[in-house]
Amino acid sequence: MGKIFSIFRSKSNSSSKSSAKLNNIVLEEKITNEMNGLHVIETFNLYDNVLNISSVLNNKCLFGHQSNYTLELFDYLKSETVKVWDGHEKDITRSIFCPRINRYISCSRDKTIKMWNIMNSRPELDLKGHELVVTTISIDNENKNLVSGSRDNNLKLWDLNTGQIKCSANISRNLVSDTFWSNDNKLLIQTGEDKEVRIWDPYNLKILFNFPKKQYIQSSCYISSDNNFAITSSNGFQGNGCEITVWDLRQRKLMAELYGHEQTVTDANIIKNDSQIISCSNDSTVRLWDMKTLKLQETIYVSNTLTSVAESQDMKYILVSSLSNGIHLIRK
């Protein structure tokens, strides 16, 4: 397969386009579908139109069907369905597993958030309060509190014991795209269509600080397990935008921007004990980056319109969802 090239741009606090030209390093990109690198070992293409996927213990994953609005728990090594829940009236936009309470939570375009138990088919909690599609949910490390974000410009903090709203925050034009709760429960990162990257106190929803505003809409966010770094991914087209931004949470500054994707980066996670970044994009690729050197390690072509990416709990696999070919299982 022919070689292509990727650009890595290192920056200081400024996020302007002119400063992005500083310290450019051209990296040779390793394209591989071979067995000694990232490779797709299974495609579950009977699950078309999957908007988001998350990993669960014991070789399972959780995702929502766009066609019939059901939530499914799936064993990807046995290739079998474990449980299906039916209750949403529109697309499920996000789903997460809560290991401390052994529950599953989903949010939807129907403006609701639902919590599910493996033993029952109906939701234990049905949280209502948003006026538009709920785009994201994030849970604290104790699995007692949940933050939701919506296109109604609101963040809401929910008590999962009572199902009640503890507090809300509304910022004009802050159409929330993603949230992520830090492992130490002290910070919540949030991205939105206003191109801002905000850090919140998750327990009172007060802004602690903002990172420099980005040029493009930020599609996803993630915090390292050591709570020191965060990443966000960017919208873009034909290589304009399409970057992954690495932020230093301790010094409250931009560390670097990672370029290589050619279309919107729909999702990016920090994986393998904070040593790597995995990303997926509308350019049909999944890319692996070194967290220490901030260099691209591998690229694999998967399928059109990749929507989300997650590392398996045992760190052996990467799960990728798409709108064209369902779910892809990638061995590292």
Side-chain angles (χ1 to χ4, degrees):
M1 182 176 291
K3 295 179 180 178
I4 63 176
F5 293 90
S6 170
I7 303 296
F8 162 67
R9 302 172 186 173
S10 178
K11 298 172 61 177
S12 60
N13 289 334
S14 173
S15 62
S16 66
K17 188 174 182 179
S18 59
S19 63
K21 297 179 181 179
L22 298 176
N23 301 320
N24 286 4
I25 303 173
V26 179
L27 303 173
E28 185 179 87
E29 180 178 319
K30 181 182 180 183
I31 305 293
T32 180
N33 285 308
E34 298 176 359
M35 296 300 287
N36 61 349
L38 294 176
H39 59 283
V40 178
I41 60 172
E42 189 79 50
T43 295
F44 305 103
N45 56 17
L46 60 163
Y47 302 117
D48 282 343
N49 302 329
V50 179
L51 295 175
N52 185 269
I53 193 166
S54 58
S55 64
V56 181
L57 297 172
N58 301 318
N59 305 315
K60 297 177 182 64
C61 61
L62 187 70
F63 61 91
H65 289 274
Q66 192 178 34
S67 58
N68 59 13
Y69 318 139
T70 58
L71 180 68
E72 180 165 344
L73 182 64
F74 183 75
D75 189 316
Y76 51 82
L77 291 188
K78 294 181 179 179
S79 188
E80 64 182 27
T81 297
V82 178
K83 182 75 174 182
V84 175
W85 295 277
D86 187 359
H88 283 293
E89 297 177 356
K90 292 185 178 180
D91 298 345
I92 294 173
T93 53
R94 193 69 54 90
S95 60
I96 57 175
F97 172 58
C98 309
R100 290 186 181 271
I101 59 175
N102 197 27
R103 296 295 186 272
Y104 308 86
I105 303 178
S106 57
C107 62
S108 169
R109 295 186 189 277
D110 65 11
K111 311 174 192 177
T112 70
I113 303 156
K114 300 182 190 297
M115 185 165 76
W116 312 86
N117 185 330
I118 192 71
M119 302 303 296
N120 299 308
S121 296
R122 304 304 301 169
E124 286 188 354
L125 286 177
D126 192 358
L127 308 180
K128 298 178 180 179
H130 284 290
E131 296 178 359
L132 293 173
V133 51
V134 184
T135 51
T136 177
I137 46 177
S138 182
I139 196 165
D140 67 357
N141 196 40
E142 301 301 319
N143 296 180
K144 295 179 179 179
N145 299 279
L146 177 130
V147 167
S148 60
S150 168
R151 292 184 65 83
D152 63 9
N153 304 321
N154 277 282
L155 290 178
K156 295 184 183 294
L157 175 65
W158 305 81
D159 186 322
L160 290 180
N161 290 320
T162 65
Q164 299 300 307
I165 297 173
K166 289 185 172 183
C167 59
S168 299
N170 180 287
I171 297 178
S172 178
R173 293 184 292 181
N174 181 30
L175 283 72
V176 180
S177 60
D178 200 11
T179 56
F180 194 90
W181 208 310
S182 65
N183 196 46
D184 62 4
N185 292 330
K186 294 180 179 179
L187 303 175
L188 181 88
I189 188 171
Q190 178 254 312
T191 53
E193 292 191 15
D194 60 2
K195 307 172 188 176
E196 296 281 1
V197 179
R198 299 181 175 89
I199 303 297
W200 300 78
D201 182 324
Y203 292 108
N204 60 24
L205 293 183
K206 302 295 183 183
I207 295 177
L208 297 175
F209 60 94
N210 286 39
F211 283 120
K213 187 173 183 177
K214 297 290 292 178
Q215 185 178 359
Y216 291 86
I217 291 171
Q218 299 299 284
S219 53
S220 75
C221 55
Y222 200 95
I223 296 177
S224 60
S225 61
D226 64 8
N227 311 299
N228 293 330
F229 303 98
I231 59 173
T232 58
S233 62
S234 178
N235 278 24
F237 183 68
Q238 294 183 344
N240 297 310
C242 315
E243 78 275 10
I244 300 160
T245 305
V246 183
W247 309 92
D248 189 319
L249 291 171
R250 296 167 297 181
Q251 299 186 46
R252 300 186 177 187
K253 69 177 186 180
L254 189 154
M255 279 184 59
E257 289 181 321
L258 310 182
Y259 286 82
H261 283 294
E262 294 297 318
Q263 306 293 338
T264 291
V265 182
T266 50
D267 197 15
N269 294 350
I270 300 172
I271 64 168
K272 202 176 180 181
N273 297 320
D274 296 338
S275 66
Q276 295 176 319
I277 296 170
I278 193 77
S279 60
C280 66
S281 167
N282 286 342
D283 65 9
S284 305
T285 68
V286 171
R287 299 179 188 239
L288 186 68
W289 314 77
D290 187 286
M291 188 66 184
K292 184 177 181 180
T293 65
L294 300 175
K295 293 182 178 181
L296 182 64
Q297 293 183 312
E298 291 187 62
T299 298
I300 182 172
Y301 288 90
V302 181
S303 73
N304 296 330
T305 321
L306 304 178
T307 55
S308 70
V309 62
E311 183 182 41
S312 65
Q313 297 289 325
D314 60 8
M315 296 187 290
K316 294 180 180 179
Y317 305 97
I318 299 297
L319 299 154
V320 187
S321 60
S322 76
L323 294 184
S324 58
N325 288 296
I327 296 170
H328 306 276
L329 182 64
I330 299 174
R331 183 183 287 278
K332 292 198 248 178

